[in-house]
Amino acid sequence: MSGHSKWHNIRLKKGKVDAQRGKLFTKLSKDIYMAVRKGGPDPETNFILKIAIQRARAVNMPADNIKRVIEKASGSGDGEDYVEVSYEGYGPHGVAIIVEAATNNRNRTAADVRSTFSKLGGNLGETGCVSWNFTRYGVLQIPAEGVDEEELLMAALDAGAEDMNSDGEYFNVLTEPNKLHVVKDALEAAGYTIEDASFSQVAKDTVELSVEQARGVLRLIETLEDFDDVQNVYSNADIPDEAMED
Protein backbone atom coordinates (compact mmCIF):
# COMPACT_ATOMS: atom_id res chain seq x y z
CA MET A 1 0.00 0.00 0.00
CA SER A 2 2.96 2.30 0.55
CA GLY A 3 3.15 3.80 -2.92
CA HIS A 4 -0.57 4.44 -3.22
CA SER A 5 -0.82 5.79 0.30
CA LYS A 6 1.89 8.39 -0.29
CA TRP A 7 0.25 9.44 -3.56
CA HIS A 8 -3.13 9.64 -1.81
CA ASN A 9 -1.68 11.96 0.83
CA ILE A 10 -0.20 14.28 -1.78
CA ARG A 11 -3.44 14.40 -3.76
CA LEU A 12 -5.36 15.19 -0.56
CA LYS A 13 -3.00 18.06 0.20
CA LYS A 14 -3.20 19.35 -3.36
CA GLY A 15 -6.97 19.28 -3.02
CA LYS A 16 -6.77 21.75 -0.17
CA VAL A 17 -5.20 24.36 -2.43
CA ASP A 18 -7.78 26.90 -3.62
CA ALA A 19 -7.01 26.23 -7.29
CA GLN A 20 -8.06 22.59 -6.83
CA ARG A 21 -10.97 23.16 -4.49
CA GLY A 22 -13.74 23.25 -7.10
CA LYS A 23 -12.64 19.93 -8.61
CA LEU A 24 -12.32 18.37 -5.15
CA PHE A 25 -15.81 19.56 -4.19
CA THR A 26 -17.18 17.94 -7.35
CA LYS A 27 -15.68 14.58 -6.44
CA LEU A 28 -16.80 14.79 -2.81
CA SER A 29 -20.30 15.77 -3.92
CA LYS A 30 -20.49 12.62 -6.02
CA ASP A 31 -19.31 10.54 -3.06
CA ILE A 32 -22.16 11.98 -0.99
CA TYR A 33 -24.64 11.51 -3.84
CA MET A 34 -23.77 7.85 -4.38
CA ALA A 35 -23.79 7.18 -0.63
CA VAL A 36 -27.35 8.55 -0.36
CA ARG A 37 -28.45 6.47 -3.34
CA LYS A 38 -27.08 3.33 -1.70
CA GLY A 39 -28.16 3.80 1.90
CA GLY A 40 -30.52 6.73 2.29
CA PRO A 41 -30.13 10.37 3.41
CA ASP A 42 -29.64 9.86 7.17
CA PRO A 43 -25.93 9.78 8.13
CA GLU A 44 -26.79 8.23 11.49
CA THR A 45 -28.02 5.07 9.77
CA ASN A 46 -25.85 5.31 6.63
CA PHE A 47 -22.21 5.16 7.74
CA ILE A 48 -20.90 5.49 4.16
CA LEU A 49 -22.73 8.81 3.92
CA LYS A 50 -21.44 9.81 7.35
CA ILE A 51 -17.85 9.22 6.23
CA ALA A 52 -18.45 11.13 2.97
CA ILE A 53 -19.87 14.12 4.85
CA GLN A 54 -16.96 14.11 7.30
CA ARG A 55 -14.47 14.14 4.42
CA ALA A 56 -16.32 17.04 2.79
CA ARG A 57 -16.35 19.04 6.01
CA ALA A 58 -12.63 18.35 6.51
CA VAL A 59 -11.86 20.44 3.40
CA ASN A 60 -14.39 23.14 4.31
CA MET A 61 -17.07 22.24 1.80
CA PRO A 62 -20.02 24.56 2.62
CA ALA A 63 -22.89 23.01 4.56
CA ASP A 64 -25.37 24.32 1.98
CA ASN A 65 -23.54 22.41 -0.76
CA ILE A 66 -23.71 19.19 1.25
CA LYS A 67 -27.42 19.71 1.94
CA ARG A 68 -28.21 20.32 -1.75
CA VAL A 69 -26.42 17.14 -2.82
CA ILE A 70 -28.30 15.06 -0.24
CA GLU A 71 -31.62 16.55 -1.36
CA LYS A 72 -30.85 15.90 -5.02
CA ALA A 73 -29.80 12.31 -4.36
CA SER A 74 -32.86 11.59 -2.23
CA GLY A 75 -35.21 12.83 -4.95
CA SER A 76 -36.21 16.14 -3.39
CA GLY A 77 -33.99 18.19 -5.70
CA ASP A 78 -33.53 18.47 -9.44
CA GLY A 79 -30.49 16.97 -11.11
CA GLU A 80 -29.04 14.25 -13.26
CA ASP A 81 -28.41 10.71 -12.16
CA TYR A 82 -25.01 9.05 -11.83
CA VAL A 83 -23.90 5.44 -11.96
CA GLU A 84 -20.72 3.88 -10.62
CA VAL A 85 -18.37 2.23 -13.09
CA SER A 86 -14.84 0.87 -12.78
CA TYR A 87 -12.05 0.18 -15.25
CA GLU A 88 -8.94 -1.97 -14.98
CA GLY A 89 -5.72 -1.95 -16.91
CA TYR A 90 -1.97 -1.66 -16.90
CA GLY A 91 0.13 1.47 -16.83
CA PRO A 92 3.78 1.86 -17.82
CA HIS A 93 6.17 -0.85 -16.56
CA GLY A 94 3.36 -3.32 -15.88
CA VAL A 95 1.79 -1.34 -13.03
CA ALA A 96 -1.77 -2.51 -12.29
CA ILE A 97 -4.36 0.28 -12.15
CA ILE A 98 -8.02 0.43 -11.10
CA VAL A 99 -10.12 3.49 -11.97
CA GLU A 100 -13.41 4.15 -10.16
CA ALA A 101 -15.81 6.67 -11.67
CA ALA A 102 -19.28 8.13 -11.14
CA THR A 103 -20.76 9.21 -14.45
CA ASN A 104 -23.92 10.26 -16.24
CA ASN A 105 -22.47 9.15 -19.58
CA ARG A 106 -20.74 5.76 -19.66
CA ASN A 107 -19.59 6.13 -23.27
CA ARG A 108 -17.85 9.44 -22.61
CA THR A 109 -16.10 8.17 -19.50
CA ALA A 110 -14.96 4.92 -21.12
CA ALA A 111 -13.57 6.83 -24.11
CA ASP A 112 -11.68 9.29 -21.89
CA VAL A 113 -10.17 6.55 -19.75
CA ARG A 114 -9.21 4.35 -22.71
CA SER A 115 -7.61 7.26 -24.57
CA THR A 116 -5.60 8.32 -21.51
CA PHE A 117 -4.23 4.83 -20.94
CA SER A 118 -3.18 4.60 -24.60
CA LYS A 119 -1.56 8.04 -24.77
CA LEU A 120 0.46 7.62 -21.58
CA GLY A 121 1.98 4.20 -22.05
CA GLY A 122 -0.71 1.92 -20.70
CA ASN A 123 -3.57 -0.20 -21.95
CA LEU A 124 -7.10 -0.70 -20.70
CA GLY A 125 -7.97 -4.32 -19.91
CA GLU A 126 -11.05 -6.39 -19.20
CA THR A 127 -12.89 -6.54 -15.90
CA GLY A 128 -10.94 -8.71 -13.47
CA CYS A 129 -7.57 -8.40 -15.18
CA VAL A 130 -5.96 -6.68 -12.17
CA SER A 131 -8.61 -6.54 -9.42
CA TRP A 132 -7.56 -10.01 -8.20
CA ASN A 133 -4.43 -8.31 -6.82
CA PHE A 134 -6.39 -5.78 -4.72
CA THR A 135 -8.44 -5.98 -1.54
CA ARG A 136 -11.00 -3.35 -0.61
CA TYR A 137 -10.44 -1.90 2.86
CA GLY A 138 -11.59 0.94 5.02
CA VAL A 139 -8.55 3.12 5.75
CA LEU A 140 -8.06 5.42 8.73
CA GLN A 141 -5.13 7.83 8.54
CA ILE A 142 -3.63 8.90 11.86
CA PRO A 143 -0.75 11.43 12.04
CA ALA A 144 2.33 9.55 13.23
CA GLU A 145 3.89 12.36 15.24
CA GLY A 146 3.77 11.63 18.96
CA VAL A 147 1.96 8.30 18.51
CA ASP A 148 3.35 5.04 19.89
CA GLU A 149 3.08 2.53 17.04
CA GLU A 150 2.68 -0.57 19.21
CA GLU A 151 0.01 1.00 21.40
CA LEU A 152 -1.94 2.19 18.36
CA LEU A 153 -1.70 -1.23 16.72
CA MET A 154 -3.05 -2.96 19.83
CA ALA A 155 -5.89 -0.44 20.14
CA ALA A 156 -6.75 -0.83 16.45
CA LEU A 157 -6.76 -4.63 16.56
CA ASP A 158 -8.85 -4.62 19.74
CA ALA A 159 -11.36 -2.38 17.95
CA GLY A 160 -11.63 -4.83 15.04
CA ALA A 161 -9.02 -3.58 12.55
CA GLU A 162 -7.35 -6.00 10.14
CA ASP A 163 -3.86 -4.51 9.89
CA MET A 164 -1.81 -1.32 10.08
CA ASN A 165 1.15 0.14 8.22
CA SER A 166 3.02 3.42 8.10
CA ASP A 167 4.36 5.67 5.36
CA GLY A 168 6.37 7.74 7.84
CA GLU A 169 3.95 10.66 8.05
CA TYR A 170 0.82 8.63 8.83
CA PHE A 171 -0.24 5.34 10.34
CA ASN A 172 -2.78 3.68 8.05
CA VAL A 173 -5.23 1.46 9.92
CA LEU A 174 -6.94 -1.07 7.64
CA THR A 175 -10.41 -2.41 8.39
CA GLU A 176 -13.10 -4.42 6.68
CA PRO A 177 -15.23 -1.83 4.85
CA ASN A 178 -18.29 -2.42 7.03
CA LYS A 179 -16.23 -1.99 10.22
CA LEU A 180 -14.65 1.34 9.32
CA HIS A 181 -17.04 3.44 11.41
CA VAL A 182 -16.78 1.08 14.40
CA VAL A 183 -12.97 1.18 14.47
CA LYS A 184 -12.98 4.93 13.84
CA ASP A 185 -15.30 5.59 16.78
CA ALA A 186 -13.24 3.34 19.06
CA LEU A 187 -9.92 4.97 18.19
CA GLU A 188 -11.34 8.47 18.56
CA ALA A 189 -12.74 7.49 21.95
CA ALA A 190 -9.23 6.31 22.88
CA GLY A 191 -7.88 9.77 22.07
CA TYR A 192 -6.43 9.27 18.59
CA THR A 193 -6.83 11.92 15.88
CA ILE A 194 -8.30 10.55 12.64
CA GLU A 195 -7.23 12.88 9.85
CA ASP A 196 -8.96 10.95 7.08
CA ALA A 197 -11.35 8.01 6.80
CA SER A 198 -12.01 6.49 3.39
CA PHE A 199 -12.36 3.31 1.38
CA SER A 200 -9.46 2.10 -0.73
CA GLN A 201 -8.31 -0.71 -2.99
CA VAL A 202 -5.05 -1.96 -1.46
CA ALA A 203 -2.63 -3.98 -3.58
CA LYS A 204 -1.44 -7.36 -2.31
CA ASP A 205 1.76 -7.25 -4.38
CA THR A 206 3.51 -4.08 -5.52
CA VAL A 207 5.86 -3.13 -8.36
CA GLU A 208 9.05 -1.30 -7.40
CA LEU A 209 9.87 1.60 -9.71
CA SER A 210 12.84 3.84 -10.32
CA VAL A 211 12.32 7.59 -9.95
CA GLU A 212 12.05 8.07 -13.72
CA GLN A 213 9.66 5.14 -14.13
CA ALA A 214 7.53 6.44 -11.26
CA ARG A 215 7.20 9.84 -12.90
CA GLY A 216 5.62 8.23 -15.95
CA VAL A 217 3.16 6.27 -13.81
CA LEU A 218 2.26 9.37 -11.80
CA ARG A 219 1.57 11.29 -15.01
CA LEU A 220 -0.99 8.65 -15.96
CA ILE A 221 -2.56 8.60 -12.48
CA GLU A 222 -2.75 12.38 -12.27
CA THR A 223 -4.27 12.72 -15.74
CA LEU A 224 -6.92 10.13 -14.92
CA GLU A 225 -7.73 11.81 -11.60
CA ASP A 226 -8.18 15.16 -13.34
CA PHE A 227 -11.29 13.89 -15.17
CA ASP A 228 -14.45 15.07 -13.43
CA ASP A 229 -16.01 11.61 -13.80
CA VAL A 230 -13.13 9.83 -12.05
CA GLN A 231 -13.47 9.46 -8.29
CA ASN A 232 -10.46 7.30 -7.39
CA VAL A 233 -7.40 5.77 -9.01
CA TYR A 234 -5.55 2.89 -7.35
CA SER A 235 -2.30 1.24 -8.37
CA ASN A 236 0.21 -1.30 -7.11
CA ALA A 237 3.16 1.02 -7.80
CA ASP A 238 5.77 1.34 -5.06
CA ILE A 239 6.84 4.91 -5.75
CA PRO A 240 10.15 6.38 -4.46
CA ASP A 241 9.92 9.45 -2.24
CA GLU A 242 11.99 11.45 -4.74
CA ALA A 243 9.30 11.05 -7.39
CA MET A 244 6.60 12.11 -4.93
CA GLU A 245 8.41 15.36 -4.22
CA ASP A 246 8.47 16.55 -7.85
Side-chain angles (χ1 to χ4, degrees), residues 228-242:
D228 287 341
D229 291 342
V230 172
Q231 294 297 97
N232 299 293
V233 181
Y234 306 106
S235 84
N236 70 337
D238 189 353
I239 297 172
D241 289 336
E242 296 92 324

Side-chain angles (χ1 to χ4, degrees), residues 107-153:
N107 291 336
R108 178 193 65 222
T109 305
D112 286 343
V113 171
R114 185 179 301 278
S115 173
T116 301
F117 268 89
S118 297
K119 289 178 180 177
L120 295 177
N123 57 84
L124 195 62
E126 297 181 355
T127 300
C129 68
V130 302
S131 57
W132 58 268
N133 189 36
F134 291 80
T135 302
R136 189 166 186 82
Y137 284 108
V139 182
L140 300 171
Q141 288 193 317
I142 298 172
E145 185 175 359
V147 174
D148 183 279
E149 181 173 2
E150 187 171 338
E151 289 182 1
L152 173 57
L153 176 60

Side-chain angles (χ1 to χ4, degrees), residues 82-99:
Y82 293 95
V83 294
E84 290 182 322
V85 292
S86 63
Y87 306 93
E88 301 178 32
Y90 290 93
H93 316 294
V95 170
I97 294 176
I98 295 177
V99 180

Side-chain angles (χ1 to χ4, degrees), residues 213-229:
Q213 289 173 333
R215 287 174 180 148
V217 172
L218 290 177
R219 275 194 296 273
L220 173 56
I221 291 174
E222 186 171 24
T223 302
L224 288 167
E225 287 191 328
D226 278 343
F227 287 118
D228 287 341
D229 291 342

Side-chain angles (χ1 to χ4, degrees), residues 207-219:
V207 175
E208 290 189 17
L209 301 174
S210 68
V211 172
E212 191 58 36
Q213 289 173 333
R215 287 174 180 148
V217 172
L218 290 177
R219 275 194 296 273

Side-chain angles (χ1 to χ4, degrees), residues 6-194:
K6 286 184 284 188
W7 176 241
H8 171 78
N9 292 341
I10 285 180
R11 293 297 296 168
L12 190 61
K13 291 172 186 174
K14 283 184 178 179
K16 294 179 181 178
V17 177
D18 286 343
Q20 297 286 332
R21 186 157 297 188
K23 188 175 291 290
L24 179 62
F25 283 1
T26 297
K27 293 181 184 295
L28 292 171
S29 294
K30 286 185 179 179
D31 281 341
I32 293 170
Y33 183 97
M34 299 308 297
V36 173
R37 286 297 203 189
K38 289 178 180 177
D42 185 357
E44 295 307 313
T45 58
N46 182 349
F47 79 91
I48 296 177
L49 174 60
K50 187 173 184 178
I51 293 295
I53 291 173
Q54 289 173 345
R55 298 192 80 215
R57 288 174 175 166
V59 293
N60 299 316
M61 185 172 174
D64 285 347
N65 291 31
I66 296 172
K67 181 180 178 181
R68 281 196 298 270
V69 175
I70 292 174
E71 289 176 348
K72 182 170 74 171
S74 59
S76 54
D78 295 329
E80 52 200 348
D81 200 7
Y82 293 95
V83 294
E84 290 182 322
V85 292
S86 63
Y87 306 93
E88 301 178 32
Y90 290 93
H93 316 294
V95 170
I97 294 176
I98 295 177
V99 180
E100 294 178 344
T103 180
N104 60 355
N105 187 324
R106 289 172 179 263
N107 291 336
R108 178 193 65 222
T109 305
D112 286 343
V113 171
R114 185 179 301 278
S115 173
T116 301
F117 268 89
S118 297
K119 289 178 180 177
L120 295 177
N123 57 84
L124 195 62
E126 297 181 355
T127 300
C129 68
V130 302
S131 57
W132 58 268
N133 189 36
F134 291 80
T135 302
R136 189 166 186 82
Y137 284 108
V139 182
L140 300 171
Q141 288 193 317
I142 298 172
E145 185 175 359
V147 174
D148 183 279
E149 181 173 2
E150 187 171 338
E151 289 182 1
L152 173 57
L153 176 60
M154 292 305 298
L157 294 176
D158 287 345
E162 294 289 304
D163 199 0
M164 187 181 82
N165 59 45
S166 174
D167 56 25
E169 187 177 359
Y170 292 93
F171 290 112
N172 304 294
V173 176
L174 308 183
T175 78
E176 293 181 14
N178 62 356
K179 291 184 179 179
L180 179 64
H181 64 302
V182 175
V183 178
K184 178 177 181 293
D185 290 347
L187 292 180
E188 286 179 330
Y192 292 102
T193 298
I194 309 295

